[in-house]
Structure formats: C-alpha cells, structure tokens
Amino acid sequence: MMDQLIVQSLILGLLQGGLYALLAVGLSLVFGILRVVNFAHGEFAMLGSFAAVFAVTSFGMPAWAALIAAAAAGALVALITNVVVLRPIYLSRMRQKGEYTIIATFMLSQFLIAATTVLFGTTYRNLPGLWESNLNFFDYVYLSGNRLVAFSAAIVMIGTLFWIVYRTDTGRAWRALTQSPLGASVVGIDIHKYANYAFLVSGAFAGLAAGLLAPLMFVFPSSGVVALVKAFIVVIIGGMGSIGGALAAGLLLGVVEVMGTIFVASGYTDAYGFALMIAVLLLRPAGLFGKMGRAI
C-alpha cells in the first residue's frame, strides 16, 4: 500500500506541476527577453479564468472553447500592459528601469484586482471540466480526467513554445534580444514587435493555465495572487529566464507539494514550495538552470 501511495502521489504531483510550469514559462520568457519582472502576471491568469467562466455561463460556449477565450483574454491584457505601461519604461533612458517596472506592474495588479472585484463581486466561481471522469489504471493509480487533460494541454503548449524559440525566426529574434537588445536592433530586429509577441505568448499561457485550473480551483478576483506566487517560485527555482528551467521546476514543485501534503502535513502546502525555493537558492543562487548571462 505504501508503494501505491508513493506512485499515486508522484503522478499527482507531476500533473499539478505541469500547470505550474505553464503558468511560469510566460513570466520567464518575458524576463529572459526584456529583463522585466512582471507583478501583474497573476492578473493575466485571473482575467483569463474569468473570461473562461463567462464564456461558458453567459455565452453557452463549450469548455474547450472557453480555454480559447481564456488564452485570448490573457494575451490581450498582456499586450495592452506592454504597450501602455511597460514599453515607455524599458525603452526609456531612465536609470533603475527594473525598479520602475516592478512598481508599475505591482500597482497595475492591485488596480486589476480592485476593478474585477467592483465589476464581478467576490463570488467564487467554477468552470466545468473537459473530462469529468475518474480514471482507474489497473486498480493501482486513480486519476482525475480533468487533471490528465490539463497536464497534457500544458505539456503540448510548452513543447510548442520550445519549438518557437529554437526553430522559428521569432525565436531567433527573441534569443538575439536576450543577448543584446541594442545589437539586435542594429541588425534590424524590431524590438517593439518581438516584445509584443513575447507578452502575447506570456499572457496567453497564463490565461490558458488559469482556464485549465478553473475546474480544479475556484475563480475569484484575488486568485491571481496565488498564481503569481507559484509562478515566481517556479521561475526562481528553475532560473530566471530559463524556459527549460521553468518546466523542470514546475514539475518538481508539484511533486514536493503533493508529497509534503500527503506524507508530512496538509496544512503547510504552500510552505513546502517556499522551503524548496530557499534550499535551491542556498545551493545554486542562479537557480537550477540559471545562467549569469541573458538566456531563454
């Protein structure tokens, strides 16, 4: 029975970790390319989950179409954030741009939480899943169909992002920007355009991850805070700016949280992630896959 419980816990942790990774890769992508720490990333996810809920409840869309609405809403808000809030900062000549982007995105996140609360109230909402079944594998492992679908979608999307980064012109432009924005602009790369692409992908992934989590968790105005904390823990553990690190760290975080909840104490689920982050930083300050230079 103990072996079965360990296997069950490990698989549940990996399934949860895939969604953590999907939340974090967009944040890591933007940081790797522009060195922007985006504290509004959680609100991209929150607004995506609200878009998914209203797509189903108000427009009668099927659950799979609601995920498209979630990704579109996250991408749109991320694009507007880049154009209106962040671009004037990171393309300016002001000193300490990083500090200003942190302040600006933090204030934006508080505004979005307050605006969502005013518009939609504090009611907890939920989204129907894509596969409302409990699966039994050989009477040994029991899984939720929704979790399995969510994990599969997350892995496909992260794999697609890897393909974009390493096999397309957009990815080559992104990687050039990670090395030297000035050098990239000298050789003809449009910083504005590719920064917009990065934010579109970041917001879409955040919204999609939140839409996939919505059947498993409640949707409410401050739910983005939880998403942001998980995403930052994953990015710090994996290495700031590393997409591969975000994937590995997300899976690791999911396993640690589930194992700790089952075998240690269920009341300290969030603490296990912070403990893991502190341990990694003590051993590898740059993260598991972090580099001293700019990279994605």
Side-chain angles (χ1 to χ4, degrees):
M1 289 296 292
M2 181 57 70
D3 290 344
Q4 181 180 2
L5 183 59
I6 292 173
V7 172
Q8 178 80 49
S9 302
L10 179 62
I11 294 176
L12 287 176
L14 291 173
L15 295 181
Q16 186 72 15
L19 294 177
Y20 289 162
L22 186 62
L23 272 173
V25 289
L27 183 65
S28 190
L29 176 70
V30 167
F31 180 82
I33 294 172
L34 300 170
R35 281 301 189 262
V36 170
V37 179
N38 180 16
F39 275 86
H41 187 76
E43 279 55 61
F44 299 166
M46 178 269 290
L47 292 172
S49 63
F50 266 96
V53 168
F54 286 120
V56 171
T57 58
S58 300
F59 299 100
M61 296 172 64
W64 64 267
L67 294 179
I68 298 176
L76 178 61
V77 177
L79 178 62
I80 294 172
T81 298
N82 178 48
V83 173
V84 176
V85 178
L86 294 175
R87 181 185 291 174
I89 296 175
Y90 65 73
L91 291 182
S92 71
R93 294 183 177 180
M94 67 173 64
R95 295 183 177 181
Q96 299 175 325
K97 297 179 185 179
E99 288 84 345
Y100 282 105
T101 59
I102 290 173
I103 294 170
T105 55
F106 177 76
M107 295 303 295
L108 176 63
S109 73
Q110 298 307 299
F111 169 78
L112 292 175
I113 292 172
T116 305
T117 302
V118 171
L119 290 173
F120 306 126
T122 57
T123 303
Y124 283 59
R125 295 171 170 87
N126 198 248
L127 187 71
L130 293 172
W131 191 5
E132 299 284 1
S133 298
N134 293 316
L135 308 178
N136 179 353
F137 294 92
F138 312 109
D139 290 326
Y140 194 77
V141 176
Y142 302 88
L143 298 176
S144 163
N146 283 327
R147 288 187 179 275
L148 193 59
V149 169
F151 175 80
S152 301
I155 294 302
V156 168
M157 294 306 298
I158 294 172
T160 302
L161 180 59
F162 271 105
W163 178 80
I164 292 172
V165 169
Y166 294 107
R167 292 291 185 269
T168 68
D169 289 340
T170 297
R172 282 185 279 273
W174 281 344
R175 285 184 283 133
L177 287 170
T178 65
Q179 299 302 315
S180 172
L182 178 60
S185 64
V186 167
V187 298
I189 294 175
D190 188 336
I191 296 178
H192 296 271
K193 180 173 73 172
Y194 288 103
N196 284 340
Y197 288 168
F199 272 92
L200 282 169
V201 170
S202 176
F205 276 36
L208 179 60
L212 292 168
L213 280 167
L216 309 172
M217 303 173 66
F218 288 111
V219 176
F220 52 97
S222 59
S223 59
V225 175
V226 178
L228 179 68
V229 170
K230 299 296 184 185
F232 265 109
I233 290 174
V234 168
V235 169
I236 291 170
I237 292 173
M240 297 289 283
S242 172
I243 296 174
L247 174 59
L251 297 175
L252 178 60
L253 176 62
V255 170
V256 168
E257 283 190 350
V258 172
M259 289 289 190
T261 299
I262 293 176
F263 293 103
V264 182
S266 60
Y268 301 100
T269 301
D270 293 331
Y272 302 132
F274 286 110
L276 176 63
M277 180 181 69
I278 292 170
V280 170
L281 289 177
L282 288 173
L283 297 174
R284 288 185 59 85
L288 296 177
F289 294 85
K291 297 179 180 179
M292 298 306 294
R294 298 168 66 97
I296 58 174

